Structure formats: C-alpha cells, structure tokens
Amino acid sequence: MTYLLELKIILRLAWPILIAQLALTGLGVVDTLMSGWVGVEDLAAIGLGTSILLPVFMFATGVLLAMTPLTAKALGQQQPSKIASQLHQGLWIALPIGWLAALIMWFPHPLLNLLQLDPRVYELTVGYLFWAAFGLPGVALYQVYRFYWEGLGKTLPTLGFSLAALVLNIPLNALFIFGWGPIEGMGAVGAGVATAIVMWSMFVAAFIYVRLHRDFTPYRLNKILAPNWQQGIKPILWLGVPMAFALLFEVGMFTFIVFFIAPLGTVIIGAHQIAISFTSLLFMFPLSFAMALTIRIGYAYGQQDINLLRVLLRVGIIGALVLGVLLSIFTLASSQFVVRAYTQNPDVMAIALSLFIFAAAYQIFDAIQVAAAGVLRGLQDTQVTMWVTLFSYWMIGLGLGYWLAFHAVGFEPMGVFGFWTGIVVGLLIAAVLLFWRLKWLFRRII
C-alpha cells in the first residue's frame, strides 16, 4: 500500500511539471511558426538563435535547480526560516547569472562569424539574441521561485505560469513580428522582444503570487537578507553547478552530432532531426517523473526517514523501468505515423524509420538514468552525476559515435547510425553507473 501511495504522490507532482515543460517547448514552436510566416531568413534566424540561446539558458537553469532539493530537505527538517533564507540567497544568485547569460548573448559575433551565414540571417539572428537576452535575468529570477515552490511540493503553479506564458507569447509575437499601429513589424527580431517581455512577466507574476498566497506565509521574512556565502550561496552553487554542467554536456552532445553529420547531406540531417524532435518530446515524461522524485526524496532525506527513502528508491527505479518500456513500445508503434507527419520524402522516411528503432532501444536506459539522477539530486549528490554524464555522453555517446560513423576499423563506417549507436551505448552506461552510485550511497545512508 505504501508503494502505491508514493507512486500516486509522485505522479500527482509529475503531471503538472510535464504539461508545463510541454508548454515551455511550445514557446519555441510558436516563435518558429510565426517567424516562418514572414520569410525563410526569419525562420533560419529563429532556429539558429534558439540553438545558441538554449545551452546558456539550460546552464543557468541547472544552477538554480539546486533550489528544489535544498527546499525539500529543509521542509522535511521542518525549518521554515531556512526555507525563507534559501529563497533570498537563490534570488541573489539569479541576478548575476541572468545578467552574465545576457552579456554572452549580446556578443554572439565570434560564433556567428564561423558559420558563414547569409548577411540577412546574420543580422536577424544578432537582433533576436540582443532582445531576447534582456529577458534572461527575469527568467532566472522566475526559476528561483519555481524551484522554490516545487521544493515545497507545489507543482500546479508551474503549470499555470507556463500555460499563461504560452498564451501571452502569441499576441506579443503578433505585435512585434508583424507590427500593428505605430509599432513596425520586426520579423524574427520581434520574437526576441516578445520573449523578453514574457520572461519578465513570469517573474513579476511569480513574485506577486508568492508574496500574496497564504501557502507561503510560514516561509516569509519581513526583511531582505543580505547575500551569505557560507550558509546560502555556497550550498546552492555546490549542488547547482554540477547539475548545470550535466545539462550542458547533454545538450552539447546532441548539438555537436548535428554539426558532425552535416557533411552527410540534407536527407540525413532531415531524418536525424525528425527522430530527435520526437524523442525530445518523449523525454519530457521521464524528466518530469525524475523531477517529482527529487522533491519526494529531498523531503524524506530531510526527515531522515530511511524506510521512506527505500520505498521511494524502489518506486522510482521500477516506475522508470515501466515508463521506459511503454515509451519504447510507443516509439515503435507510432513511428510510421510520426514520420509521415513530418515528410513524404521516401529517402528521408526510410532513414528516419531506422533511427526510430535506435530511439526505441534507448528509452529504457534513458528513463532509468534520468530517474537515478533525480534521486541523487534529492540526496544532494550531484558531483558524480556530472562526471558520469561527461563520460557517457561525450566519451561514449559522441566519441564512440564519431568513430563508428566515420573511422570504424574492420567494417564499413555507419554514418548517422554510428552516432545513434553511440547514444544507445552511452545512455546504457550512464544508467548502469548512476544506479551503481545509488546503491553505494544508500548503503552509506542506511
């Protein structure tokens, strides 16, 4: 009965996170669709701009994600003053992180100069990043509030704010991309303006919500706390920086694969993009499950409830295994329909359908490794996850994949299938190593 109860709690925490993540993904889809109506150059600028913006945004998010396990543990320890203090320290960290991220986005020229872009695409990409960068401090501050209330076991606000952001983004895009009245249409650059406004709007709304809602009254201070390195900022960075690098390693692997397969031709790139875009959506399911696990594990860890930790570990790993199997079956069963929805080109379809087999193969490993990482986050153990991610994604996923794709000895190079073989093997190794780390850590705790 305890196992079933904990599974229900985890799922109740996970489903709002899932829909919120899909809504945030929808922001990029809306930007792409509406910019594409202006012209091909605007569409290319949005695609390139978001590819540059995403790793910087993910790194900042990874650092601030430490708020969730720290808040959950303090809740389990029944220390409301500590929860309030951590919120203030998180906000102090978010400000420099946000402005540093913006500074990087304001100077993309060295990277763009390497790509030999069409002058118009270059200009639009720089403009999009310039305006979108103004929103990064705002969204960093919002992320602190988001991970704070998630650490308190409240995930419905995340859903509400994400859906509101998606709805707000549509009229703002229409206003600044196409223009209206005295406001001239800016094309892809206008999408950057809209993005910045949405990001700051999320922060302002979150600030008002936390200040006024009675659920947060026990954790409210009547004064602003000054930055405290030893008791506030250091613990967040100690947990958050490794998580940020782990996210960066993951995003970086898939980004570099695209660059490496570019010489193989547009058919290969198209097929790869179809498979990646579909599996990226599916990944939201185990990711949301893992984030919910972090909340419950952090709470049980704060309570020092060993029996509950045992239950959560078993529910988490078995739940991830079942979820991975279901996603694997779904990937195979839906492959024909999904690929046809993207393209009618027979060459692209044939390669994409083959890649879906690889995608189905790694769903189980991916679900287990992300769940194990979620449990480790809840136990405030993130250093090993960073190194495992570096080894599994870059040394195996990217390194082995590159060798199989272009330099295999004893058999014909596998091309894009080599990289996907590397992804499967890398995720398998990540799942094994992180599960081993969990077992070792639980022996020490118990």
Side-chain angles (χ1 to χ4, degrees), residues 186-312:
M186 303 168 67
V189 178
V193 177
T195 296
I197 294 174
V198 168
M199 287 177 172
W200 277 105
S201 299
M202 294 175 77
F203 161 62
V204 171
F207 173 79
I208 294 172
Y209 172 70
V210 170
R211 288 295 300 172
L212 298 182
H213 202 286
R214 64 186 179 205
D215 285 353
F216 304 102
T217 302
Y219 318 111
R220 196 170 292 149
L221 297 178
N222 295 322
K223 62 179 180 178
I224 298 176
L225 296 182
N228 185 317
W229 170 255
Q230 198 65 33
Q231 300 299 321
I233 293 176
K234 183 181 177 181
I236 294 174
L237 294 179
W238 179 256
L239 283 181
V241 171
M243 287 191 284
F245 275 108
L247 287 172
L248 196 61
F249 294 149
E250 182 178 358
V251 173
M253 177 184 72
F254 288 104
T255 300
F256 273 94
I257 287 176
V258 174
F259 287 125
F260 285 139
I261 67 172
L264 298 178
T266 55
V267 170
I268 297 294
I269 296 173
H272 174 81
Q273 191 58 38
I274 290 171
I276 284 294
S277 62
F278 178 73
T279 55
S280 296
L281 284 177
L282 290 188
F283 180 67
M284 298 299 176
F285 287 86
L287 176 63
S288 303
F289 185 78
M291 293 177 76
L293 261 178
T294 298
I295 298 168
R296 288 300 293 163
I297 288 285
Y299 179 76
Y301 186 46
Q303 285 190 316
Q304 289 295 296
D305 190 333
I306 302 302
N307 290 328
L308 181 56
L309 283 172
R310 282 199 192 98
V311 170
L312 287 168

Side-chain angles (χ1 to χ4, degrees), residues 14-28:
W15 77 261
I17 297 176
L18 170 62
I19 299 177
Q21 292 296 119
L22 293 175
L24 292 176
T25 303
L27 290 172

Side-chain angles (χ1 to χ4, degrees), residues 7 91 94 98 149 226 268 293 302 309 314 318 324 331 396 399 422:
L7 179 60
L91 292 171
W149 63 56
I268 297 294
L293 261 178
L309 283 172
R314 290 166 184 164
I318 294 173
T331 300
I396 305 299

